[in-house]
């Protein structure tokens, strides 16, 4: 089955700097890669997703890149703000078995 | 508010007791998923339904766990003979058709087994 690895587990960046979170997946059949943000005590919320027919997607300060050959995908947050502090999860899914497999999460701290 | 609701929000029970959780998905969503999340981990897939049909169950779902979605609307997750290792947040999510559509999560039910 699919296995998603996520690094780093904790990341601290100065406010205004960029943050990068990297994930790898094992199943070459995976073709959908969502990213979720979870604030303390709250539900995961989708912030951006990418499908395997594109290599990059951007939404304001957030961008995701996908390298299908290497089975890598990354989340980039630019101009970080205090409200970006949260746990971020990458995930992978395929239309073969229709379930989402999550990484273990990255706790992002934005330092003032 | 994403529209997925779960009840109860918190449940404290003694080891060996049975518990049942309920999930009400977004009304037009025909896919419903159950996940378990323990502290410091990502959500782990447990099972999912398309309408009333349960299509897949994870190996994490022991025979003490059962899920139903009798009319293709709300779903229940029952845990029999609870164990301390069952303590976790149980999350429900729904989507319009398939996992490749955005899954909207509910607020979760936090289970504590004493």
């Amino acid at each position: 089955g699919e296995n998603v690895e996520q690094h780093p587990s904790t990341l601290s960046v100065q406010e205004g700097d960029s943050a990068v979170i990297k994930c790898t997946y094992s199943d070459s059949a995976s073709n959908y890669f969502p990213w979720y943000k979870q604030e303390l005590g709250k539900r995961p919320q989708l912030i951006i997703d990418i499908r395997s027919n594109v290599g990059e997607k951007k939404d304001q300060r957030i961008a995701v890149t996908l390298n299908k050959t290497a089975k890598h995908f990354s989340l980039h947050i630019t101009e970080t703000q205090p409200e970006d502090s949260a746990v971020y999860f990458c995930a992978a899914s395929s239309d073969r078995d229709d379930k989402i497999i999550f990484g273990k999460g990255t706790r992002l701290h934005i330092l003032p | 508010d994403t529209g997925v609701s779960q009840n109860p929000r918190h449940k404290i029970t003694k080891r060996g007791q049975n518990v049942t959780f309920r999930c009400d998905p977004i009304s037009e969503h025909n896919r419903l998923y159950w996940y378990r999340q323990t502290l410091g981990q990502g959500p782990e897939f447990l099972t999912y339904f398309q309408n009333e049909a349960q299509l897949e169950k994870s190996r994490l779902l022991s025979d003490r766990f059962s899920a139903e979605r009798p009319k293709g609307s709300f779903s229940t997750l029952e845990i029999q003979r609870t164990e301390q290792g069952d303590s976790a947040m149980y999350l429900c999510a729904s989507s319009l058709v398939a996992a490749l559509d955005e899954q909207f999560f509910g607020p979760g039910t936090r289970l504590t087994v004493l």
Side-chain angles (χ1 to χ4, degrees):
Chain A
E2 175 65 279
N3 183 49
V4 176
E5 299 284 342
Q6 183 171 350
H7 301 279
S9 57
T10 305
L11 178 61
S12 296
V13 300
Q14 210 70 37
E15 183 179 349
D17 288 351
S18 296
V20 180
I21 301 170
K22 298 183 178 182
C23 291
T24 61
Y25 62 99
S26 61
D27 189 348
S28 56
S30 290
N31 56 359
Y32 174 62
F33 306 92
W35 286 85
Y36 284 83
K37 176 183 180 182
Q38 188 174 30
E39 297 178 16
L40 190 64
K42 296 191 175 180
R43 71 192 78 187
Q45 292 197 305
L46 182 75
I47 55 170
I48 195 167
D49 56 15
I50 189 167
R51 299 176 193 274
S52 60
N53 57 346
V54 298
E56 185 173 356
K57 183 176 178 180
K58 189 172 182 180
D59 183 3
Q60 299 183 339
R61 298 186 296 109
I62 295 173
V64 59
T65 59
L66 171 64
N67 182 330
K68 282 197 68 180
T69 304
K71 298 195 187 75
H72 288 176
F73 58 116
S74 300
L75 178 72
H76 304 251
I77 306 174
T78 59
E79 300 171 21
T80 52
Q81 301 171 1
E83 54 266 34
D84 294 331
S85 293
V87 179
Y88 291 80
F89 294 99
C90 62
S93 180
S94 77
D95 50 16
R96 181 182 63 195
D97 55 19
D98 281 341
K99 63 188 181 190
I100 289 183
I101 303 301
F102 286 81
K104 292 189 175 182
T106 297
R107 183 171 297 279
L108 176 62
H109 299 275
I110 306 302
L111 306 172
Chain B
D1 188 342
T2 61
V4 179
S5 61
Q6 291 185 248
N7 288 288
R9 295 291 306 277
H10 304 273
K11 179 70 177 179
I12 300 173
T13 191
K14 292 182 179 179
R15 188 162 48 97
Q17 298 295 304
N18 299 344
V19 295
T20 300
F21 310 141
R22 176 176 169 131
C23 171
D24 287 88
I26 294 171
S27 59
E28 63 268 24
H29 286 184
N30 55 11
R31 284 279 179 115
L32 186 148
Y33 303 82
W34 284 99
Y35 295 87
R36 181 173 66 189
Q37 186 176 25
T38 53
L39 200 61
Q41 301 294 317
E44 296 174 296
F45 170 81
L46 293 178
T47 189
Y48 81 97
F49 294 83
Q50 174 146 327
N51 300 313
E52 65 274 10
Q54 187 173 17
L55 297 186
E56 187 169 349
K57 293 171 61 172
S58 164
R59 283 172 290 181
L60 293 173
L61 217 62
S62 76
D63 55 7
R64 296 184 297 105
F65 288 70
S66 61
E68 294 183 341
R69 195 183 182 197
K71 297 181 180 178
S73 56
F74 72 91
S75 175
T76 58
L77 177 69
E78 181 182 16
I79 309 174
Q80 296 182 326
R81 305 181 303 281
T82 52
E83 302 173 356
Q84 288 186 324
D86 297 332
S87 295
M89 176 73 84
Y90 290 83
L91 292 163
C92 173
S94 70
S95 69
L96 194 55
V97 176
L100 301 190
D101 294 319
E102 178 180 353
Q103 290 190 16
F104 292 85
F105 281 84
T109 294
R110 181 167 295 284
L111 173 66
T112 302
V113 181
L114 302 176

